[in-house]
Amino acid sequence: MAAPRGLGDQLVVALAAAFSLGLVWFATRQVPAVAGFAAGLAALAVMVWTVGRPKPVAAATETELPDWSVTVAAINATDCAVAITDRAGRLVCANAHYERWFGIAHAPPRLPLDNPSLERLAKAGRSAWRDGKASADLIEGDGGRWRAAVVRAGRGDDYLVWTIAALAGTDLVAELVPHLDGKLGRALSQAGIAAAIVDPDGKIRAHSAGFAQRATGEAAALLTGQDFTALLRQDDQDRLNWARDGLRGAAITMYYLPVADPDAAVEPDYNVTPSLMLLVDSGSGLGGGGGEGTAAVPHLEALIGSLPLGLAMVDRDGRMLFANPAFMRAVGRESDTPPTYPTDLVVQEDKGPLSDAIRRFAQGPASSGDIAVRLKGMAEEPVSLSLAGVRGLGEAAVLLGLIDSTEETRLKRQVAQATKMQAVGQLAGGVAHDFNNVLTAILGTCDLMLLRHTPGDSDYDDIQQIRANSNRAASLTRQLLAFSRQQTLRPEVMQLPDVVSDVSHLLKRLIGEKIKLVVTHDRDLGAVRADPTQLEQVIVNLAVNARDAIQAKGDSGGKLTIATRRFSAADVRAMRTAIMPPVDYTLLVVEDSGTGIPADHLGKIFEPFFTTKETGKGTGLGLSTVYGIVKQSGGFIFADSERGKGTRFSVYLPVHHPSAEEMAAPIAAPIVEQSTWSGGGRILLVEDEDMVRAVAERALTRAGYTVTTASDGDEGLEIVEGGAEFDLIVSDVVMPAMDGPTMAREVRKLRPDLPVLFMSGYAEEQLRKQIDIAGGVHFLPKPFSVQQIGDKVGAVLSAAKGDGRA
């Protein structure tokens, strides 16, 4: 029985079943028989329907597995590395560039790169899962430098597509290829020059139509990827000609220029650098006319003039025929015309060697080489000048090459100066610290001697003289500490014009009536955070130096200009400096019309004890102190000077943007320190310098204190651990073995409330950061007098007793 398919079939089956039931009733006339027959028909109908009913069509899956072979074929056509990762971070697909650069064992972001690059890649991956796309501008490894972009993709956004492009700086080859295919290539062909770019392995990267015409006879021929040397042949006399011309071909001359980036930070590796090959018929000249290359120079000038490489042509007599703008820029004469001889560009000592080198390369077979020379005006930085002998270019005999390293040299000089100043600052700070110990002993001894000598005594004046000279030496050490950025500053948030205004009246008396003082200010200047007293010292020192420079010039007058300017982050970026961070600054300019600073002195003016003044008229610490104050305030200072026209000092102080905590914090009231104390006390004095310890012990003993001495931190700790009771510890900071702060921390474990007074020649602010001891810590700067140590100890004990400690 077939399964019913339509409405008509169902109707026929129903009539047949009814007719069958009627026959059974007519034959039997029994109700049970008819009922049983009807039940059997029903069961049979159910079985037929079950077997023959239409099978449901399986629902199409919402997602199907992608065909990765199609994806690989698509992404292999790019010049970037492309990789696809899933939610689990597994690499599911990658192209050939990715496999060659990173290998298939690594999936982004876990690539063989340095740690900062890995962090940038991981951050980009997280951002892409969240936002749909992200990028990492620079990633670096042993294999090179790249830029990565990542995009979330897939029907369910289950994949990340990583695209990684190489960052090789300026691609000069890519810049030259369109020119060879364009007007420049056609112009070279008309001039008889066949040009091609050849990789170090000898394969042709690109070529002009004239090159294809000469090599194959068809200008439209494509020779990319072919062996360059296979298109040439060399006879028994080492003459070159085209291979297709055979023995009948005319000799050709070949010149090559390495296509290297002149602004690269490192010397290019010529073993991996492509070259621009220029091939010219030796006998016919570049223009195709008679003579030995009579048209060579004009056509070659057009080519060389457009190249970013510094190139110049010299004849056999050493006269310069042509120099392109890049060459003149590299020698520091961008706006000048080329000199008659290239030897005019170098210092006197290098004229002879350069002239000999040019004469050597102008004769004999064509060859190339390098020579180190020092350019006029840049004698401190030798440069490498490349020379290549050329033939068949008319009067041109030697091609000179020079890379423009002006910016690189400037950055090197700035970094070297900053490094030198840092090293000198550390030395000056160490010297000042040690010298303060000596001055402490001298001043203390003088004070003790003055207690036994009264005015009129024969020794009184001599002791006072010693004391005065010691105080003068102490001021010099403070200047050294300022230069080394180790002095104590009291920074405040203020406006720079207010400081200039406060010191202007003093400046008028310092510079005299004949020198005109001009003060100008910009509007809407940003506030700075610095010590106003120290900034006043900066302005005064610069003004005094300007006065001396103006007076040394011998003019009847002169002008000193002090100005404040706004200097935005965009202005910093325009300076192209690697020293200053690109933030907003307030600029202080101090400019004079004096004699100016010689160029050979300009790099030394901030060094301590360097001075151009006569003996006895300056210590050489004025500008070094200015430098230290500015640097410790977070700023920068630069000097520009022109001999005979004056000097300009520019001080850049970063604009201070107060935090929310600073804006909410109340203004702290000044702390008034008590300086009198008559209660006596027990003091532990710890000092490794014998002379300083002796002076301090005598001073404190005379003031009524009971003093116990120790020569280092270990001895002082042993005394406290032995059970001795003290009201105050007076200790040096830097000592052999256990230093003062370490000893104080150990003592605090036994006596938590015992106050400590540290003596040191270093800055209090710097020491507080290093010591890190909570509460009850005080400082006494060296050198100090007998009265100063007595007053300080009394103030500390008075405060401690008032607070209920000890």
Side-chain angles (χ1 to χ4, degrees):
M1 181 176 181
R5 296 297 180 185
L7 183 59
D9 293 339
Q10 296 174 1
L11 182 60
V12 171
V13 172
L15 290 176
F19 180 71
S20 300
L21 289 174
L23 286 177
V24 174
W25 169 259
F26 179 75
T28 62
R29 300 291 183 178
Q30 296 181 2
V31 174
V34 174
F37 184 74
L41 285 177
L44 181 61
V46 171
M47 292 175 62
V48 171
W49 171 255
T50 299
V51 175
R53 75 172 187 264
K55 298 294 189 295
V57 180
T61 59
E62 293 183 0
T63 60
E64 296 180 356
L65 292 176
D67 187 352
W68 293 115
S69 63
V70 177
T71 306
V72 171
I75 63 179
N76 265 338
T78 69
D79 57 355
C80 303
V82 180
I84 302 175
T85 57
D86 59 12
R87 282 277 183 185
R90 295 171 297 196
L91 183 66
V92 298
C93 182
N95 68 351
H97 275 84
Y98 181 89
E99 181 177 358
R100 182 166 60 253
W101 289 348
F102 309 110
I104 59 175
H106 305 279
R110 299 179 299 276
L111 298 179
L113 305 170
D114 57 25
N115 290 332
S117 299
L118 291 175
E119 293 177 3
R120 287 192 286 269
L121 270 185
K123 181 179 179 182
R126 292 192 298 268
S127 300
W129 283 122
R130 182 183 67 246
D131 304 329
K133 61 180 181 179
S135 64
D137 291 336
L138 175 63
I139 58 176
E140 298 179 287
D142 294 337
R145 304 165 69 248
W146 301 271
R147 183 184 187 278
V150 56
V151 179
R152 190 180 63 211
R155 283 185 291 269
D157 287 336
D158 291 334
Y159 298 97
L160 289 182
V161 180
W162 301 78
T163 304
I164 304 176
L167 279 179
T170 304
D171 190 350
L172 297 181
V173 175
E175 292 181 1
L176 286 175
V177 167
H179 292 295
L180 292 183
D181 293 334
K183 292 183 178 180
L184 178 60
R186 293 194 297 272
L188 291 174
S189 300
Q190 293 175 3
I193 303 175
I197 297 176
V198 181
D199 284 331
D201 59 359
K203 302 298 182 182
I204 298 175
R205 177 84 68 90
H207 58 84
S208 65
F211 182 91
Q213 177 68 40
R214 294 293 285 115
T216 65
E218 296 180 6
L222 184 61
L223 304 177
T224 304
Q226 294 191 25
D227 190 358
F228 175 78
T229 58
L231 303 175
L232 305 172
R233 66 177 299 275
Q234 191 172 14
D235 61 13
D236 296 336
Q237 299 180 358
D238 294 334
R239 291 180 300 183
L240 286 177
N241 60 2
W242 296 101
R244 65 180 292 266
D245 294 341
L247 297 177
R248 298 170 299 157
I252 59 176
T253 301
M254 181 174 67
Y255 311 99
Y256 74 96
L257 305 173
V259 185
D261 186 357
D263 298 326
V266 296
E267 180 72 13
D269 185 357
Y270 294 105
N271 293 323
V272 297
T273 303
S275 298
L276 174 63
M277 301 295 187
L278 303 176
L279 298 103
V280 186
D281 289 342
S282 298
S284 60
L286 294 179
E292 185 185 352
T294 55
V297 173
H299 289 291
L300 196 57
E301 286 180 7
L303 172 64
I304 293 177
S306 63
L307 294 176
L309 307 171
L311 298 172
M313 292 185 296
V314 181
D315 65 12
R316 290 176 177 81
D317 297 327
R319 289 189 296 267
M320 185 174 289
L321 303 175
F322 170 77
N324 67 356
F327 185 89
M328 298 305 296
R329 184 167 55 251
V331 298
R333 299 189 179 186
E334 185 173 3
S335 58
D336 297 343
T337 57
T340 305
Y341 296 95
T343 52
D344 296 337
L345 300 172
V346 301
V347 298
Q348 184 66 35
E349 294 80 1
D350 292 341
K351 289 181 180 292
L354 178 57
S355 179
D356 294 340
I358 292 175
R359 188 180 305 108
R360 185 171 62 254
F361 284 100
Q363 300 172 357
S367 59
S368 61
D370 298 296
I371 182 175
V373 296
R374 292 165 296 171
L375 300 172
K376 287 184 178 178
M378 297 182 285
E380 301 84 2
E381 297 289 339
V383 298
S384 179
L385 182 67
S386 299
L387 301 93
V390 295
R391 305 293 180 264
L393 293 182
E395 296 180 355
V398 180
L399 186 66
L400 303 181
L402 187 63
I403 296 177
D404 183 7
S405 58
T406 305
E407 185 66 18
E408 179 184 355
T409 301
R410 185 181 66 84
L411 292 178
K412 285 182 179 179
R413 188 177 294 112
Q414 286 184 347
V415 172
Q417 177 70 5
T419 304
K420 181 177 69 174
M421 297 302 290
Q422 180 71 20
V424 174
Q426 292 176 352
L427 174 63
V431 170
H433 174 263
D434 294 339
F435 197 41
N436 275 333
N437 281 329
V438 178
L439 292 175
T440 300
I442 296 174
L443 287 171
T445 303
C446 288
D447 290 340
L448 293 173
M449 293 177 66
L450 287 174
L451 295 176
R452 301 192 305 270
H453 296 77
T454 59
D457 194 329
S458 59
D459 295 331
Y460 182 84
D461 292 338
D462 295 336
I463 298 173
Q464 286 286 25
Q465 186 66 34
I466 295 173
R467 196 175 190 281
N469 289 328
S470 299
N471 284 325
R472 182 182 176 187
S475 67
L476 293 179
T477 61
R478 284 193 294 270
Q479 288 180 307
L480 284 175
L481 289 173
F483 167 73
S484 60
R485 286 165 272 171
Q486 295 173 0
Q487 63 176 341
T488 300
L489 294 183
R490 305 297 180 191
E492 300 176 8
V493 179
M494 59 188 173
Q495 288 289 339
L496 200 53
D498 296 339
V499 179
V500 176
S501 177
D502 292 341
V503 79
S504 294
H505 300 292
L506 173 62
L507 293 182
K508 291 179 180 178
R509 293 195 299 270
L510 286 175
I511 64 177
E513 297 180 355
K514 293 183 179 181
I515 299 176
K516 181 180 180 182
L517 176 63
V518 179
V519 179
T520 61
H521 303 292
D522 275 359
R523 295 184 177 181
D524 302 325
L525 295 174
V528 299
R529 186 175 184 272
D531 188 329
T533 303
Q534 299 294 335
L535 283 186
E536 289 180 1
Q537 183 179 351
V538 168
I539 297 172
V540 169
N541 284 358
L542 294 178
V544 169
N545 284 342
R547 177 202 64 190
D548 295 342
I550 293 173
Q551 292 176 351
K553 192 175 182 180
D555 294 343
S556 58
K559 184 171 72 172
L560 171 63
T561 302
I562 301 177
T564 55
R565 300 282 184 264
R566 296 177 59 188
F567 207 81
S568 66
D571 297 328
V572 177
R573 285 189 287 269
M575 290 174 62
R576 299 180 63 188
T577 176
I579 304 298
M580 294 173 55
V583 298
D584 294 334
Y585 293 88
T586 296
L587 172 61
L588 171 67
V589 178
V590 179
E591 187 173 4
D592 63 69
S593 59
T595 57
I597 302 173
D600 55 338
H601 291 168
L602 199 58
K604 304 176 183 178
I605 57 175
F606 295 120
E607 296 178 6
F609 305 113
F610 177 82
T611 180
T612 58
K613 298 179 181 179
E614 298 178 8
T615 303
K617 292 189 177 182
T619 62
L621 286 172
L623 288 179
S624 63
T625 303
V626 169
Y627 178 86
I629 294 173
V630 172
K631 298 299 290 185
Q632 195 171 359
S633 302
F636 301 88
I637 181 170
F638 301 103
D640 300 291
S641 182
E642 187 174 352
R643 191 68 171 161
K645 293 187 177 181
T647 304
R648 172 191 175 102
F649 285 92
S650 302
V651 178
Y652 298 84
L653 296 174
V655 173
H656 177 71
H657 300 285
S659 62
E661 292 78 5
E662 289 179 313
M663 299 179 66
I667 300 175
I671 299 175
V672 179
E673 190 177 67
Q674 297 184 14
S675 58
T676 59
W677 172 254
S678 59
R682 297 160 296 179
I683 297 176
L684 174 62
L685 175 63
V686 186
E687 170 63 59
D688 62 313
E689 291 284 346
D690 295 338
M691 51 187 177
V692 177
R693 185 172 65 250
V695 168
E697 180 184 7
R698 291 179 59 188
L700 294 175
T701 301
R702 292 182 64 89
Y705 300 102
T706 302
V707 182
T708 303
T709 61
S711 59
D712 54 39
D714 291 323
E715 184 179 350
L717 181 59
E718 289 178 2
I719 294 174
V720 176
E721 290 176 342
E725 294 291 334
F726 297 101
D727 299 312
L728 174 66
I729 294 179
V730 179
S731 172
D732 191 14
V733 175
V734 180
M735 293 184 292
M738 181 181 291
D739 59 15
T742 303
M743 179 198 68
R745 280 189 285 267
E746 295 297 325
V747 170
R748 283 288 178 90
K749 295 178 182 178
L750 304 174
R751 294 285 306 278
D753 297 330
L754 184 61
V756 180
L757 173 61
F758 284 116
M759 307 176 294
S760 179
Y762 289 111
E764 176 182 339
E765 184 177 297
Q766 178 185 8
L767 291 175
R768 284 193 181 275
K769 295 178 181 178
Q770 297 176 354
I771 292 174
D772 191 23
I773 299 177
V777 177
H778 307 272
F779 293 89
L780 176 64
K782 294 180 181 179
F784 51 79
S785 64
V786 169
Q787 182 177 355
Q788 285 173 335
I789 189 174
D791 290 346
K792 186 66 177 182
V793 169
V796 172
L797 288 175
S798 176
K801 296 294 184 179
D803 293 341
R805 296 194 298 267

